[in-house]
Amino acid sequence: MHTQAPAALQTAQSRAHRPATPHAASGKFRLTKTALTSFLLGLYFITPWLRWSRAGESAQAVIVDIPARRFYLFGLEFWPPDLPLLLGLLIFSAATLFFVTAYFGRVWCGFTCPQTVWTDLFFGVDRRIDQRFGRDSALGQAVKSALHMLIAVLTAFTFTGYFIDITHLGGQLATGVAPAAAYVSLGVLTFTTYVFAAHTRENICLHMCPWPRFQSALLDPETLVVTYQAPRGEPRARARVPLRPELLDIGNDGPPAAHSYLTGADTYRGDCVDCGKCVSSCPTRIDIRDGLQLGCIGCGLCIDACNTVMDRLDRPHGLIKLGTEMPATPSTTAAKRTRPRILRLKPMMFASVMLVSGSAMAVSLANRSNVDASLEHQRQPPFVKMSDGSIRNDYALRFTHRGDDIASVAVTVEGLPGAAVRLSTGDEPTPVFICNRRSMSERVMITVPMRTAPQGRVPVTVVLTERTTHAPLARLETYFWGPGGAQ
Amino acid sequence: MAEHRYDPVTGQYTTGHSWDGIEELYTPLPRWWVITLVISFIVAIIYAALYPGWPTTRFAFAGLLGWTSAGQLAEEQAEARTEQAHWRNQIAAKSVAEIEQSDELRTFAITGGRALFNQNCAACHGIGAGGQQGQFPSLIDDDWLWGGKIDDVYQTISHGIRNDDGESRQSEMPSFAEMLSPEEISAVAEYVTTLSDPSKAESRKALPGAEVFANNCAGCHGENGEGMHEMGAPRLADQIWLYGDGKEAVARQVAHPRMGMMPSWKPRLGEDAVKMLAVYVHSLGGGEK
């Protein structure tokens, strides 16, 4: 059912067994991965169910309201004009990803990428079913597929619930009154989750994802990556073959394992007994002993698997470990450098991008105006002559404000002597409007007496202030046309 | 079917056929391409069966679905009508003044009225309702021939001006070319141009046109040229001159008056549409209270 990693991606064909479902490993990497997977899945599945009081009503705490073009994040409310914040967030996220990669390799791929998280969940399901029904049981395969589909549907349902109130979504979907987009989203996400996590799995990482292609540009020689300690492990042989004597010194306090010497052969082996556990436990089915490669997602499960074997052989951990690509036998230039430096050029550059984009985002979020207003001059005709000879210009004002309060806004004009402002809804010359909805449009009329009317076009500023507090809300630059100018 | 033969030079297989020792490499069409082609044939046949498109000499095959673009339009229009029924019914039930009072209905009426205006009224009155000098009055200034209150505007749009509609606005300015001498016309035109200048309030009484005006014009246009909405008589004591200001233009208008006409819109658009138009026009800034 599952495709094998293609030969082109392997630097050497290994005899090791590559099972359909990777074998379970246990150790600190597995523990970290389990904890992170549980946390991220929990975050994903629980978040839409959180509630938040909004406008006196209980509403979904995190929701993207597409018809109203709003994004709610607990107490925060984002509007289309806030899109630069999203850009900032993306730049910040990218810089963070590069930063972490420069230090620790592909931990994003290994632990937090949705493809990894869901695939890991599906692997877990597969292993339990295999244990219960046996690896070749047809019933087991059917149960697996059913569970895969169930998880896929739940995933798609939850995703859709980020856009439509999830507490009503189920009923809406069942009774057929949900928007068409909800059904499309449910169908597409079910399909992609099922196909990507239950069938395509590591092939997404190997063939579809662009990230592995440029990861090598982010790594430097001191980046921590999953490495096989070839000088210690080679040559590989079965455990019966005696260990190279010089290896007995490393780290092992106890007496050498007696069984290593039972045969009395004249050939020796390294620490690697070629058990294939690192390959069979790998979620992307690569052989880490071939060196750093595109297929390695840096999850460290092979480290756990190898350490378990090392324990059994009574040998120290770390034949495969999170280490640098620095030469194991230090050359003269790197002789003094046994540990990777913290202060390195590449990650520091990424850190500065993080700092700049992060602080720019924080500042703009803090200074974000709750009001969005725009003024458009009605240019057809450019001006109106009134019966007393005064000249009037009309403007379309669009006014939107965040939050639940009612805005009472006074409109005044600067830069035009003798100008009077009137609104089409307002009762005579009190230019105040009440915005009790989120958004409204208003016709603003500015009139200048015949004598002071400007010749041609002059710039003016329309000022919106809160009526009672006189707090400035917006200053809108526009212009005023008078007769006699360029026509 | 000949056997495919491996060709060591190219590393590919040949078709197995040999013509005078010349063989051809076996490069069939990609499977996906063939499948796509077959599928598109099938889709084309189904499509041709479902939708209209096969003409004969007498009729055209209408398609199994019975689809027509006109039918789709009608369907979408019916859908839009159903969606708007909530507001449309309220607009039909209420008077224009009541619609203006309701925030929600007013917004709906202005939005719909703008679309209606651009489609039906803008040809004469302009997209911005600014009118055309010498042709059609501006709807955004504060001068109204037939009254600028919301009810007046509604009445004017409903039944129009000087048309066959029984309730349309009717009036006619007589042609004074026959009744007055050229000198009198010139004098009254001179007098009319002073009406809008308050500084000449006293001095104009001595003008020779004053008497001509009082005898012939004041009946409709008012003693001081204030105009009369009931007659559609324009105010002469202001700065707005539809058919041009200045003595020449006024004299021409006195001798051979031009009068606008406007169709009645209620029979064409329906009552609720006219109400929306009235609210929209009234919101444009000229609307009298």
Side-chain angles (χ1 to χ4, degrees):
Chain A
M1 182 162 65
H2 304 298
T3 48
Q4 294 292 319
L9 287 162
Q10 297 167 10
T11 50
Q13 273 293 333
S14 169
R15 283 168 287 114
H17 176 53
R18 291 162 205 255
T21 304
H23 292 154
S26 61
K28 55 183 182 182
F29 286 97
R30 179 65 258 181
L31 216 58
T32 313
K33 200 167 157 67
T34 306
L36 264 172
T37 300
S38 313
F39 170 73
L40 291 169
L41 285 172
L43 193 69
Y44 175 77
F45 282 105
I46 292 170
T47 304
W49 295 97
L50 301 177
R51 307 301 287 179
W52 191 264
S53 172
R54 207 168 280 134
E57 285 176 35
S58 171
Q60 192 164 319
V62 180
I63 189 166
V64 182
D65 187 350
I66 290 178
R69 292 177 185 80
R70 301 279 179 272
F71 169 51
Y72 298 100
L73 185 68
F74 297 94
L76 291 174
E77 181 181 334
F78 295 93
W79 290 34
D82 298 325
L83 268 179
L85 282 175
L86 178 65
L87 178 70
L89 180 70
L90 290 177
I91 293 174
F92 181 77
S93 305
T96 311
L97 182 59
F98 298 163
F99 177 73
V100 171
T101 304
Y103 275 123
F104 304 110
R106 287 168 65 187
V107 285
W108 161 262
C109 297
F111 295 91
T112 50
C113 170
Q115 176 65 25
T116 299
V117 168
W118 261 262
T119 304
D120 202 39
L121 174 67
F122 279 45
F123 280 154
V125 169
D126 287 358
R127 277 191 214 107
R128 270 161 193 74
I129 301 296
D130 283 346
Q131 273 170 18
R132 183 165 290 244
F133 294 92
R135 198 175 291 274
D136 300 320
S137 154
L139 178 65
Q141 294 301 326
V143 172
K144 260 188 214 173
S145 290
L147 282 175
H148 290 165
M149 190 46 90
L150 178 71
I151 297 172
V153 169
L154 285 178
T155 302
F157 177 79
T158 306
F159 179 84
T160 313
Y162 279 94
F163 298 89
I164 298 168
D165 194 331
I166 199 164
T167 52
H168 305 141
L169 181 60
Q172 285 182 2
L173 286 170
T175 53
V177 297
Y183 292 99
V184 172
S185 150
L186 192 71
V188 168
L189 263 288
T190 302
F191 176 76
T192 51
T193 309
Y194 183 72
V195 171
F196 288 1
H199 292 285
T200 333
R201 294 191 168 167
E202 76 281 355
N203 290 313
I204 299 288
C205 313
L206 298 176
H207 300 293
M208 285 174 70
C209 181
W211 178 229
R213 320 274 149 178
F214 55 87
Q215 62 155 339
S216 54
L218 302 170
L219 305 181
D220 62 24
E222 294 170 69
T223 303
L224 290 172
V225 287
V226 177
T227 46
Y228 167 64
Q229 305 294 310
R232 187 185 146 188
E234 301 295 321
R236 306 168 200 170
R238 276 181 289 183
R240 273 205 301 280
V241 179
L243 200 60
R244 267 157 50 206
E246 72 269 24
L247 290 175
L248 295 172
D249 301 336
I250 52 165
N252 199 351
D253 296 333
H259 63 268
S260 304
Y261 296 95
L262 286 179
T263 58
D266 53 356
T267 54
Y268 296 99
R269 65 165 172 87
D271 257 330
C272 179
V273 292
D274 208 10
C275 63
K277 287 276 189 291
C278 52
V279 178
S280 69
S281 64
C282 176
T284 56
R285 302 146 204 272
I286 57 159
D287 190 341
I288 192 62
R289 294 171 298 178
D290 297 335
L292 179 65
Q293 55 200 285
L294 185 145
C296 177
I297 59 170
C299 66
L301 290 183
C302 53
I303 301 178
D304 281 348
C306 186
N307 284 347
T308 311
V309 174
M310 288 297 116
D311 280 342
R312 209 178 300 154
L313 294 174
D314 206 13
R315 294 290 300 150
H317 286 179
L319 176 56
I320 304 174
K321 67 175 187 182
L322 208 54
T324 65
E325 281 280 276
M326 288 193 292
T329 47
S331 65
T332 46
T333 50
K336 295 189 185 95
R337 211 184 290 156
T338 52
R339 298 174 65 83
R341 292 164 301 163
I342 303 293
L343 289 170
R344 306 203 299 270
L345 180 63
K346 206 180 268 184
M348 284 304 127
M349 276 163 58
F350 295 136
S352 59
V353 175
M354 277 167 72
L355 194 71
V356 169
S357 62
S359 47
M361 221 168 41
V363 167
S364 64
L365 190 63
N367 294 337
R368 198 167 59 134
S369 164
N370 270 336
V371 166
D372 184 43
S374 68
L375 200 66
E376 186 195 356
H377 189 269
Q378 303 293 292
R379 283 172 298 185
Q380 204 175 22
F383 61 86
V384 190
K385 191 179 187 187
M386 305 305 281
S387 54
D388 61 356
S390 55
I391 300 300
R392 199 186 80 199
N393 277 208
D394 292 358
Y395 306 84
L397 171 70
R398 266 197 82 75
F399 182 83
T400 45
H401 71 112
R402 288 186 184 82
D404 311 318
D405 50 329
I406 293 171
S408 175
V409 183
V411 186
T412 50
V413 60
E414 283 178 10
L416 200 60
V421 184
R422 196 163 75 81
L423 304 172
S424 65
T425 48
D427 282 336
E428 284 317 295
T430 49
V432 170
F433 67 92
I434 311 287
C435 186
N436 53 5
R437 281 170 296 158
R438 289 303 185 76
S439 167
M440 65 180 297
S441 51
E442 182 65 73
R443 196 178 173 92
V444 176
M445 292 166 272
I446 300 177
T447 311
V448 177
M450 182 161 48
R451 272 183 246 296
T452 55
Q455 295 287 309
R457 200 177 84 163
V458 290
V460 294
T461 307
V462 171
V463 185
L464 305 182
T465 47
E466 163 64 35
R467 177 165 60 160
T468 45
T469 63
H470 301 292
L473 294 176
R475 293 177 63 83
L476 305 166
E477 306 289 335
T478 181
Y479 49 80
F480 187 95
W481 276 98
Q487 291 260 350
Chain B
M1 191 73 195
E3 283 291 304
H4 295 296
R5 191 182 66 80
Y6 181 72
D7 175 39
V9 178
T10 57
Q12 295 184 39
Y13 285 87
T14 69
T15 55
H17 299 291
S18 177
W19 295 273
D20 296 341
I22 298 170
E23 290 178 54
E24 190 184 3
L25 290 177
Y26 179 62
T27 50
L29 291 168
R31 178 69 55 82
W32 68 265
W33 193 94
V34 175
I35 292 172
T36 310
L37 181 72
V38 171
I39 290 175
S40 47
F41 273 124
I42 296 169
V43 169
I45 291 167
I46 295 172
Y47 188 86
L50 292 180
Y51 287 93
W54 292 102
T56 67
T57 49
R58 285 155 175 267
F59 66 97
F61 175 58
L64 297 176
L65 290 182
W67 179 91
T68 61
S69 53
Q72 186 179 343
L73 175 68
E75 211 170 276
E76 282 168 12
Q77 282 178 328
E79 221 167 85
R81 267 196 292 277
T82 323
E83 273 174 25
Q84 296 179 351
H86 169 68
W87 291 285
R88 287 258 184 183
N89 292 342
Q90 288 189 61
I91 282 177
K94 293 187 171 173
S95 75
V96 274
E98 284 170 333
I99 295 167
E100 275 203 326
Q101 295 304 314
S102 157
D103 187 34
E104 197 186 24
L105 285 182
R106 183 177 182 275
T107 306
F108 180 83
I110 286 180
T111 311
R114 180 181 295 121
L116 286 163
F117 187 91
N118 289 345
Q119 214 159 20
N120 298 291
C121 315
C124 294
H125 291 286
I127 291 287
Q132 282 182 52
Q133 181 77 38
Q135 300 273 358
F136 309 104
S138 162
L139 305 177
I140 52 178
D141 61 23
D142 57 349
D143 186 36
W144 293 88
L145 296 171
W146 299 94
K149 295 191 173 63
I150 180 73
D151 288 324
D152 297 332
V153 173
Y154 173 62
Q155 170 73 19
T156 306
I157 300 173
S158 295
H159 301 290
I161 298 162
R162 298 186 187 101
N163 60 35
D164 298 337
D165 189 307
E167 291 179 62
S168 83
R169 308 277 195 190
Q170 292 291 352
S171 75
E172 192 183 346
M173 175 160 168
S175 168
F176 285 93
E178 313 288 320
M179 297 183 249
L180 298 176
S181 69
E183 291 74 30
E184 284 173 316
I185 290 176
S186 172
V188 81
E190 170 115 39
Y191 177 79
V192 166
T193 53
T194 63
L195 286 171
S196 52
D197 191 345
S199 64
K200 294 178 180 164
E202 287 305 311
S203 60
R204 68 168 162 254
K205 286 177 184 166
L207 285 175
E211 198 191 333
V212 184
F213 187 85
N215 292 340
N216 298 288
C217 316
C220 292
H221 290 284
E223 277 186 37
N224 299 310
E226 58 267 30
M228 193 192 288
H229 287 163
E230 291 76 18
M231 304 293 294
R235 186 150 67 123
L236 303 176
D238 64 17
Q239 300 289 338
I240 295 172
W241 301 91
L242 177 57
Y243 298 115
D245 58 353
K247 189 180 163 188
E248 287 288 306
V250 174
R252 210 181 309 127
Q253 182 67 8
V254 171
H256 303 286
R258 302 163 65 191
M259 283 161 288
M261 74 82 67
M262 170 171 158
S264 62
W265 290 99
K266 205 156 152 181
R268 300 188 192 202
L269 301 177
E271 187 173 358
D272 49 350
V274 171
K275 281 179 177 171
M276 283 156 73
L277 268 174
V279 172
Y280 173 66
V281 169
H282 197 238
S283 79
L284 289 177
E288 294 173 2
K289 295 289 169 186

